[in-house]
Amino acid sequence: MRVGVIGGGQLARMMIAPAVEMGIELSVLAEQEGMSAALAQAAVGDYRDAQTVLAFAKDVDVITFDHEHVPQDVLHALVDAGVAVHPGPDALRFAQDKLVMRRRLAELGAPQPDWAAVAEPSELQAFLDDHGGRAVVKTPRGGYDGKGVKVVSRPEDVADWFADFDGEALLVEELVDFRRELAQQVARRPSGGMVAYPVVETVQRGGVCAEVLAPAPDASEKLMEVAARLGKTIAEGLRVTGMLAVELFETVDDRILVNELAMRPHNSGHWTQDGAVTGQFEQHLRAVLDLPLGAPDVAAGAVVMVNILGGPQGEQLTDRFAAAMAAHPLAKIHTYGKEPRPGRKVGHVNVAADELDDAAYEARAAAAFFD
Amino acid sequence: MRVGVIGGGQLARMMIAPAVEMGIELSVLAEQEGMSAALAQAAVGDYRDAQTVLAFAKDVDVITFDHEHVPQDVLHALVDAGVAVHPGPDALRFAQDKLVMRRRLAELGAPQPDWAAVAEPSELQAFLDDHGGRAVVKTPRGGYDGKGVKVVSRPEDVADWFADFDGEALLVEELVDFRRELAQQVARRPSGGMVAYPVVETVQRGGVCAEVLAPAPDASEKLMEVAARLGKTIAEGLRVTGMLAVELFETVDDRILVNELAMRPHNSGHWTQDGAVTGQFEQHLRAVLDLPLGAPDVAAGAVVMVNILGGPQGEQLTDRFAAAMAAHPLAKIHTYGKEPRPGRKVGHVNVAADELDDAAYEARAAAAFFD
């Protein structure tokens, strides 16, 4: 039983542990030597090249991904060659193009911010006029971690994007007045089975996930149900296979609106590694292999994940282990084998505890040793 | 930060997951190709050959072990070359020779079954005469999983062992009237810090560990304390570094007696992977690197581990995943990448639950899918 992962980043790396534990073989096609998932690296090559990817896929039972950037023609070449690909090209389309995603979510009746496709500055100006003079413009493709996202009050603020996209539409969305951000994860098998994790609160700083509180504090039964149902509706409606993360706004008037989607294990689910019966990386492997899914139950009162962003410049993360571990014996420290660099996601800390405050204190304090 | 592991079996394999998660590099010297820990295999060679082991140890921060069979001369060659070796040769002596172990435990005042070194059949007969006519004879070296252990009523029952050991003494021990078997695990750093796990109950069948109940059911505070203190006394007294497992008899008259020792992660601690804040494989890596130790707390009401012994002959364990996972979404299934073979340890199942009965039922039922 062998899974091939395209992309050698930390998400591929974090599939290694559950694969080894279960006894599933993992092969990684990395973009270059020495990446996070190097231990399971079977090949190095360009994922945009169909021949490279076809050769890599020859001996695996299923192909899955560390990221959503594999081009549609390469994905279809795999499918045409009889390779099982999860998530498949038709699902990945929705993760690769935010306009395609918005249109499909509208068809599904999923609650969203107001949005429009704007091909011209005048169209953007009209949207701004209708939405209080400010809005969020996104490039439909190629953005991540806050890149390709800009709050604007004038079309000139994204003049360069209009030029770059050369007549293609940009996505504009209303600025949502939200109380907090949430994330709902769902795993879905090709044969249809699904499980939903409890909805979590995500805290972003500078467009990047800083910490996750699981389950979302003070979430009502109703909110948990609505979020889980929405996640399942989207997973089903978009025919997602593997893990799906739905990033949500909880508005000040108690609605939830879909912000972004990710069709892979996601930063908002790293807490599951040490806080859920089945971690998201194990769940993703089970889902893409069409194996029965594991229980998503939280294994403690509360679990908090704090990202290590940047890391100690000019040092290795391991240099800080002695101090961090001495002070925080409950902390589960995860590092990705990457060199510290400002703003880079280089690791995270999970803490599970009976009480949210304790988990949050321990996780934040332990992660601070890696600043 | 790189740990070198001598031996490529499942214990080395199960160090891979926490090593990858923490960001510690792991290199394995395997006995042959295709062993359990192949993913982290850096070399294949004979661990009895000092040159092979010295070459392997060149680029690591510390050498540790999948088993206790590396000869003393090889261990000393490593130490003499300035390599950090944990556990070190002086500690491993006690795990390599049960007579040496019994003598040292006696010096430490640790409670033991009555025992004697018997070099001649007449000496064994004398011990039998003093202990009701039956006793357990053990070869001091080379036994494991019930091999090298025999219940005897006459010296002739072990005539071949007297011949094989050619004048060297065998170990004879009284047959203990025990209620159940327990195991106490302790981690100890080279610089002296220790943590004790809760004492567990182990169930043996045919001399092989079949299941482990953690914490030991109905264990009094007193028993937990006595076992933890005994474990720490032995770890300290034998200068163990890394994980130590002390196998214990709980006698019908409420004493605990030391049965066997293991200076490495041990089958009695596999439950910690899914049931303790810090799993024994992570703890072993932290200990041998002289990093601060993690919390040994149980993360659920009860955790049960059931070994998969033998496995489905002529099939792969993964062939049974679909059925087992469909029936038992709470089960954590671990397999070792080994071919099924009668009696062979090929995997285990852990289940954590609020109630012992639930954990035991789920773990046993899930493991039964792999018969």
Side-chain angles (χ1 to χ4, degrees), chain B residues 118-154:
Chain B
V118 290
E120 315 243 350
S122 62
E123 292 171 355
L124 175 53
Q125 186 62 58
F127 188 92
L128 285 165
D129 293 343
D130 286 349
H131 291 86
R134 293 177 78 218
V136 184
V137 179
K138 298 180 177 179
T139 58
R141 296 186 305 279
Y144 67 96
D145 276 357
K147 295 177 184 66
V149 176
K150 200 181 258 184
V151 176
V152 305
S153 53
R154 311 173 310 162

Side-chain angles (χ1 to χ4, degrees), chain B residues 65-109:
Chain B
F65 310 94
D66 173 73
H67 57 71
E68 292 126 338
H69 309 318
V70 179
Q72 284 285 322
D73 63 326
V74 174
L75 297 170
H76 280 289
L78 285 168
V79 171
D80 292 348
V83 177
V85 178
H86 295 294
D90 292 345
L92 277 168
R93 254 182 339 132
F94 301 111
Q96 291 175 334
D97 190 312
K98 290 175 180 157
L99 275 172
V100 176
M101 184 264 282
R102 286 284 177 225
R103 283 187 197 109
R104 180 68 184 134
L105 291 183
E107 287 171 10
L108 291 171

Side-chain angles (χ1 to χ4, degrees), chain A residues 4 18 39 87 120 149-150 169 230 240 251 259 266-267 292 318 330 340 353:
Chain A
L39 187 66
E120 314 243 348
V149 176
K150 199 181 259 183
L230 177 58
V240 179
T251 66
N259 180 18
H266 187 253
N267 202 159
T318 47
L330 292 171

